[in-house]
Amino acid sequence: MPQAHDLLSRRPEWRALAEHQASMQQVHMRDLFHQDPDRFRRFFAEAAGISLDYSKNLVTTDTMARLMALARACQLPDRIEAMFRGEHINASEDRPALHVALRNMGSEPITVAGEDIMPEVRGTLARMEEFVWRVRSTQWRGFTNKPFTDVVSIGIGGSFLGPKLVSASLKPYWHGRLNCHYVANIDGSHITEVLRHINPETTLFLIQSKSFKTQETLENTKVAREWFLHNGGNEELISKHFVAVTANTREAIDFGITEENIFPMWDWVGGRYSLWSAIGLPTALTIGMENFRALLSGAHAMDQHFRTAPLEDNLPVILALLGIWYGNFWQADAHAILPYDHYLRGLPAHLQQLDMESNGKCVTQAGEPVDYQTGPIIWGGAGANGQHAYHQLLHQGTKLSPADFIIPLHTHNPVANHHAILFANCLSQTQALMQGKTEAEARAELEAQGLPPEEVARLAPHKVIPGNKPSNTLLFERGTPRTVGALIALYEHKTFAQGVIWDVDSFDQWGVELGKQLGKDILDRLLSRDALPGANDSSTDGLIELFRSRHHNGS
Ligand SMILES: O=P(O)(O)OC[C@H]1O[C@H](O)[C@H](O)[C@@H](O)[C@@H]1O
């Protein structure tokens, strides 16, 4: 067990940051910009086609230096290397976390338990390539010999959010004939709505589950299979229409999936980091393998940057440290992801799983309770829509939520002046958050409208905007497979770097398990005709009985 002084919060670098924060409390970003005309250039970094302006943060060069010192004290560079080398950085599950291997374009081997995994990674990509080609070129057809028109991915969590985000982000690259649908929830409405619009003769189902044990996915797959069998299909035809991606081949075969239709997954890839594996098949089918490989190459470029760039220029490290600065020293509980890009509107949902499942932890790697905050609440949505909804809280609320504004310089769809207007909205938000409106300015505005002094005095407090609210602006040329790959990898590495500093295991998710365990007993009780014993608490029992009274008494 580590000694208490090993805890992050006892480190001198931590205390140095706490002292520095006290000295920054009266500083306003407006003044920082006035004092330093070079501030934009000073707090700007670029890598793998992504540019980051972090000048609108509550930082000085001294702040950044202190944050970098903390990262070094936590041996961040060594931990980054450890990840790339395949060390068991997922300590509680005693595994490596090697999503970087899935997009490794280099020729060097990456070993797990003494074996180079790269031949299998490349072999799987080659298999995907062939499968994607066969479906897109109509060599592989449905049971009435018609080409496929719809791909339905059934999966949840990491086997859903990542591929769904990438498919939606790259819609301009979709194949003209193939539509892509995602079914995740164990809410009959989800699969019903999808099945309503598709034809069994021309639909390909992809069953996506690393474990092949996930209740939602298995139950939805049963429904899809029954629907197929009742609408012209039969058992022999299942192999034409059902393909699986899993690390649990045995279970998939037992479930009725033909062995040749199973693509592998590996226990060294976490679900929320798996979109780069065969779990990306729905994406690859819709955007084509060339574009899927470009996605991987964008992520690889970000990997190389994360591994080799000095901490001071390292995009994931800078984002990670800024998050620590606000979460641990400014009491920010939340972080907003605000893509000003219709195609990237699913990014907040994906990053919620990525970040909150990775760093929503309360003990260190060694099992000691932390006495500092760990992962933030991730939230957000597409801009400019959010400006007409929740941005009010960012501007004048009492909560601090730093925000990432993400926007392409070029749109795929030039319509009138839309993109310039969108861009202007994005910039005006970060500017407003930074500079706010002083009381003097609010008063002057009201006076200029000719209001009497008592009205000016009454309204001015409502019109004051404190400003000094931090934001990052992330830019890229256009939403291409490469930039989308780099952007997602950027956030993966940010999450990992924060986990290293907080000394938590960013690759396990034990908290998710408890609900699953309890759910089984509750389901037995809901379905039972007889009231089963098993009282835990009056709330759960009362609600179970309420459900049973509606379902078993004919009401
Ligand atoms: O891919 P599967 O094994 O079906 O898992 C799907 C998801 O379920 C779990 O509950 C985990 O919390 C997720 O990390 C995972 O991505």
Side-chain angles (χ1 to χ4, degrees):
M1 291 290 277
Q3 299 299 303
H5 63 257
D6 284 334
L7 261 188
L8 179 61
S9 53
R10 318 263 156 83
R11 289 186 184 280
E13 294 81 5
W14 188 269
R15 281 202 302 275
L17 277 159
E19 282 159 22
H20 178 61
Q21 193 274 344
S23 75
M24 289 286 289
Q25 276 175 21
Q26 303 310 320
V27 172
H28 201 289
M29 265 190 265
R30 274 180 177 225
D31 301 322
L32 295 177
F33 273 96
H34 284 144
Q35 286 154 15
D36 179 6
D38 243 6
R39 191 171 165 84
F40 171 63
R41 196 193 47 80
R42 202 177 305 288
F43 298 106
F44 186 86
E46 272 179 302
I50 310 282
S51 306
L52 166 67
D53 165 26
Y54 62 107
S55 59
K56 293 191 185 95
N57 275 289
L58 280 158
V59 297
T60 61
T61 45
D62 185 17
T63 321
M64 293 313 295
R66 287 171 194 245
L67 287 166
M68 296 296 162
L70 179 70
R72 291 206 167 82
C74 297
Q75 281 149 20
L76 180 58
D78 289 352
R79 303 306 297 154
I80 294 173
E81 264 310 298
M83 175 175 73
F84 280 93
R85 276 200 309 266
E87 287 180 24
H88 287 207
I89 57 171
N90 177 356
S92 85
E93 294 181 310
D94 195 16
R95 293 171 185 169
L98 272 173
H99 40 288
V100 292
L102 300 169
R103 58 237 189 175
N104 175 27
M105 305 281 143
S107 51
E108 79 277 19
I110 298 181
T111 55
V112 171
E115 225 174 274
D116 182 9
I117 55 171
M118 285 316 299
E120 204 176 342
V121 169
R122 291 193 195 102
T124 304
L125 276 172
R127 264 191 75 195
M128 286 171 70
E129 181 123 44
E130 202 215 327
F131 173 68
V132 166
W133 177 80
R134 286 178 66 198
V135 172
R136 287 167 66 98
S137 68
T138 77
Q139 302 283 310
W140 184 325
R141 291 166 174 239
F143 66 87
T144 53
N145 207 31
K146 289 187 187 147
F148 289 113
T149 54
D150 295 273
V151 173
V152 178
S153 163
I154 302 181
I156 199 163
S159 300
F160 159 59
L161 290 160
K164 183 169 185 240
L165 164 66
V166 179
S167 297
S169 305
L170 298 174
K171 196 148 191 196
Y173 299 83
W174 280 27
H175 190 285
R177 194 190 64 244
L178 280 174
N179 237 317
C180 185
H181 316 262
Y182 287 86
V183 172
N185 207 350
I186 188 75
D187 173 336
S189 306
H190 199 174
I191 191 154
T192 303
E193 285 300 333
V194 171
L195 295 180
R196 207 195 290 287
H197 301 288
I198 54 175
N199 176 353
E201 295 170 45
T202 55
T203 298
L204 182 66
F205 289 96
L206 300 181
I207 316 307
Q208 312 248 86
S209 178
K210 178 180 167 185
S211 62
F212 224 83
K213 287 186 186 306
T214 305
Q215 186 187 42
E216 293 89 336
T217 302
L218 297 187
E219 294 299 324
N220 276 325
T221 303
K222 285 183 203 160
V223 172
R225 188 168 62 179
E226 283 309 302
W227 175 84
F228 177 75
L229 294 177
H230 285 101
N231 289 282
N234 64 42
E235 290 289 347
E236 274 91 76
L237 299 174
I238 292 252
S239 63
K240 273 186 179 296
H241 289 258
F242 284 75
V243 170
V245 182
T246 185
N248 191 349
T249 310
R250 191 64 269 150
E251 203 90 25
I253 293 172
D254 290 349
F255 196 85
I257 309 285
T258 320
E259 191 165 4
E260 303 80 72
N261 285 4
I262 300 174
F263 286 83
M265 262 280 280
W266 303 279
D267 71 0
W268 43 261
V269 184
R272 51 196 176 270
Y273 300 86
S274 66
L275 69 94
W276 321 99
S277 71
I279 289 286
L281 259 184
T283 313
L285 281 166
T286 43
I287 65 172
M289 208 54 199
E290 202 182 314
N291 285 322
F292 190 76
R293 285 189 189 273
L295 175 88
L296 300 183
S297 75
H300 178 66
M302 187 55 76
D303 295 343
Q304 292 296 97
H305 167 75
F306 183 51
R307 189 174 189 176
T308 58
L311 297 187
E312 285 72 11
D313 305 325
N314 198 308
L315 258 62
V317 173
I318 294 168
L319 288 183
L321 291 172
L322 290 169
I324 286 182
W325 178 227
Y326 298 117
N328 295 108
F329 300 95
W330 292 84
Q331 284 77 49
D333 287 329
H335 186 90
I337 302 293
L338 308 174
Y340 276 62
D341 182 339
H342 178 70
Y343 293 126
L344 279 174
R345 64 197 181 281
L347 188 64
H350 175 64
L351 297 189
Q352 272 173 343
Q353 190 206 14
L354 173 67
D355 196 315
M356 294 170 83
E357 212 173 61
S358 296
N359 288 338
K361 308 290 161 66
C362 58
V363 296
T364 64
Q365 289 269 24
E368 272 202 35
V370 296
D371 64 354
Y372 45 83
Q373 293 291 315
T374 58
I377 297 160
I378 301 289
W379 67 285
N385 301 10
Q387 292 172 209
H388 303 274
Y390 40 75
H391 281 219
Q392 167 60 31
L393 182 143
L394 294 176
H395 292 292
Q396 284 186 306
T398 53
K399 308 266 187 295
L400 174 62
S401 176
D404 291 352
F405 288 76
I406 303 165
I407 188 161
L409 287 159
H410 295 282
T411 174
H412 283 290
N413 301 296
V415 173
N417 268 335
H418 277 44
H419 197 63
I421 298 172
L422 183 73
F423 208 84
N425 270 287
C426 178
L427 297 196
S428 64
Q429 285 299 303
T430 61
Q431 189 182 31
L433 286 167
M434 182 275 285
Q435 71 182 29
K437 189 182 283 182
T438 63
E439 198 183 342
E441 286 167 345
R443 280 177 168 279
E445 246 179 49
L446 292 164
E447 279 159 8
Q449 289 165 25
L451 293 179
E454 47 304 354
E455 270 302 273
V456 171
R458 188 176 73 81
L459 290 175
H462 299 279
K463 301 247 176 180
V464 171
I465 320 249
N468 220 19
K469 302 284 167 59
S471 68
N472 296 308
T473 305
L474 291 112
L475 304 142
F476 47 91
E477 209 55 47
R478 198 185 296 273
T480 62
R482 259 188 85 85
T483 51
V484 168
L487 184 68
I488 298 173
L490 165 62
Y491 279 102
E492 289 179 350
H493 295 322
K494 171 201 169 181
T495 303
F496 169 62
Q498 291 191 325
V500 167
I501 291 169
W502 289 321
D503 188 24
V504 296
D505 189 329
S506 297
F507 300 100
D508 62 11
Q509 60 283 316
W510 298 106
V512 175
E513 298 303 319
L514 177 60
K516 290 188 191 172
Q517 279 165 16
L518 299 179
K520 193 180 166 325
D521 173 57
I522 293 176
L523 180 63
D524 289 345
R525 292 177 65 196
L526 291 179
L527 294 178
S528 168
R529 293 229 133 249
D530 313 310
L532 294 177
N536 287 312
D537 60 83
S538 63
S539 164
T540 310
D541 281 343
L543 295 168
I544 288 173
E545 284 317 311
L546 197 63
F547 183 92
R548 293 187 69 255
S549 72
R550 296 298 191 278
H551 288 265
H552 299 310
N553 297 336
S555 54

